[in-house]
Amino acid sequence: MKKARIFSFVTAVVAAAALFVGGSKVVKADTTLTVGASANPHAIILNHVKSQLKKEGINLKVKVYDDYIMPNKALANGDIDANYFQHIPFLDQWNKKNNGTLISAGKVHLEPIAVYSKKYKSLKALPNGAKIYVSSNTADYGRILKLFKDAGLITLKKGTKITTATFDDIKTNKKNLKFVHTFEAKLMPKLYASNEAAATVINANYAVQAGLNPTKDSIAREKSTSEYANIVAIRKSEKNNKAIKKLMAALQSKSTQNWIKKHFKGAILPAK
């Protein structure tokens, strides 16, 4: 009995000592959170909140992808904990096509899609039969069509929903514009630089990455809309994950949203 009491006492002392190092309480081991992201602006924004999350016990690791295909596959397979590169229409389309169940953890920012041209200064200045290069990302077709519709160059069939519209939904095409949509989104800046088409439509993340500013360099730019705000996507089973909730709190904080506006000089906008 005496030996047992001595053993219990020693165990208690060792356990208590383990809680303190140099007179201060040992911090609990960090929770590692791996998030897949496009290089620009997503990875940049994630890296901005790294230090804030570190203070809250979250070790944020950012895995960069250069396409729109792998991040959702990696998330669905459990290779990463979340991803940050897409908007809701894209996620909905991916889930439908892949029998997926990925969900949004919340909105962070908007990347205004824009039209660029080295030859013309406005959409209305485009000539008859002008060739327009567009990516093969069908989830963006509606927002692209809206730019041309708002400029008075096309009309859409009655009942067409912008979030699901395709080029087949064009009713009238006043200038007989030729929309070529066979290219990967990441290739659009190079196609613009080649000056082959009258105009090229580029997603803001790839535009910024190529040194373009959607505000200053485009001839038409999408207006702020929450329908296409970029989100953090997660597996449905992780909707109550505390680490992800802390990540979203950091990304959606007023200080981070103000930083996004200032850092990207209006090319990337805080989500509304």
Side-chain angles (χ1 to χ4, degrees):
M1 285 294 290
K2 189 175 181 181
K3 285 183 179 179
R5 284 198 298 271
I6 292 172
F7 178 76
S8 296
F9 174 75
V10 171
T11 302
V13 169
V14 171
L19 292 174
F20 293 87
V21 175
S24 61
K25 194 172 181 179
V26 172
V27 177
K28 208 176 177 182
D30 286 350
T31 296
T32 298
L33 194 64
T34 304
V35 181
S38 296
N40 194 342
H42 307 80
I44 293 172
I45 296 171
L46 287 171
N47 284 323
H48 174 72
V49 300
K50 257 188 179 182
S51 58
Q52 180 183 336
L53 290 170
K54 188 72 175 174
K55 294 174 184 175
E56 298 184 46
I58 306 296
N59 179 26
L60 179 62
K61 288 189 175 180
V62 181
K63 186 172 182 178
V64 175
Y65 293 90
D66 66 355
D67 62 32
Y68 290 165
I69 300 168
M70 292 308 298
N72 278 338
K73 284 186 177 180
L75 178 57
N77 293 337
D79 297 331
I80 55 178
D81 301 305
N83 69 41
Y84 175 34
F85 78 99
Q86 64 193 320
H87 47 61
I88 289 285
F90 185 93
L91 178 63
D92 287 345
Q93 188 181 83
W94 189 89
N95 277 331
K96 187 175 180 180
K97 186 177 179 181
N98 296 277
N99 236 9
T101 56
L102 302 181
I103 62 173
S104 168
K107 302 169 185 174
V108 182
H109 75 273
L110 174 73
E111 297 177 12
I113 203 164
V115 185
Y116 299 81
S117 177
K118 291 179 179 290
K119 303 172 183 176
Y120 306 100
K121 294 185 177 180
S122 70
L123 291 184
K124 290 184 178 180
L126 294 172
N128 287 323
K131 188 190 297 182
I132 314 297
Y133 279 170
V134 176
S135 85
S136 57
N137 182 20
T138 56
D140 282 334
Y141 289 174
R143 65 203 298 211
I144 294 167
L145 288 168
K146 191 174 187 305
L147 286 172
F148 287 87
K149 176 179 175 289
D150 291 347
L153 299 183
I154 64 170
T155 62
L156 300 176
K157 295 173 184 176
K158 188 177 180 180
T160 299
K161 281 184 66 178
I162 289 298
T163 53
T164 56
T166 70
F167 294 101
D168 290 334
D169 291 310
I170 295 175
K171 182 179 180 181
T172 59
N173 187 342
K174 296 179 181 179
K175 290 194 173 186
N176 195 30
L177 302 174
K178 309 295 183 185
F179 293 96
V180 183
H181 45 86
T182 57
F183 313 102
E184 282 189 66
K186 65 181 179 181
L187 298 177
M188 303 315 291
K190 288 184 178 179
L191 291 168
Y192 165 67
S194 73
N195 204 21
E196 293 176 11
T200 304
V201 183
I202 310 176
N203 289 82
N205 60 318
Y206 290 123
V208 171
Q209 202 168 317
L212 296 169
N213 186 315
T215 305
K216 298 177 181 178
D217 300 323
S218 66
I219 61 171
R221 179 173 175 251
E222 179 183 31
K223 294 178 182 177
S224 180
T225 168
S226 60
E227 287 176 336
Y228 291 97
N230 277 218
I231 61 164
V232 170
I234 58 173
R235 293 182 295 279
K236 192 180 287 186
S237 59
E238 300 297 309
K239 64 181 179 181
N240 294 318
N241 185 309
K242 290 181 180 178
I244 288 171
K245 287 182 182 294
K246 287 183 179 180
L247 169 67
M248 295 312 301
L251 290 172
Q252 294 174 334
S253 69
K254 191 173 182 179
S255 62
T256 299
Q257 294 285 292
N258 286 338
W259 177 85
I260 288 172
K261 190 185 295 184
K262 184 177 179 181
H263 182 81
F264 295 102
K265 299 176 182 178
I268 308 298
L269 305 173
K272 291 184 178 179

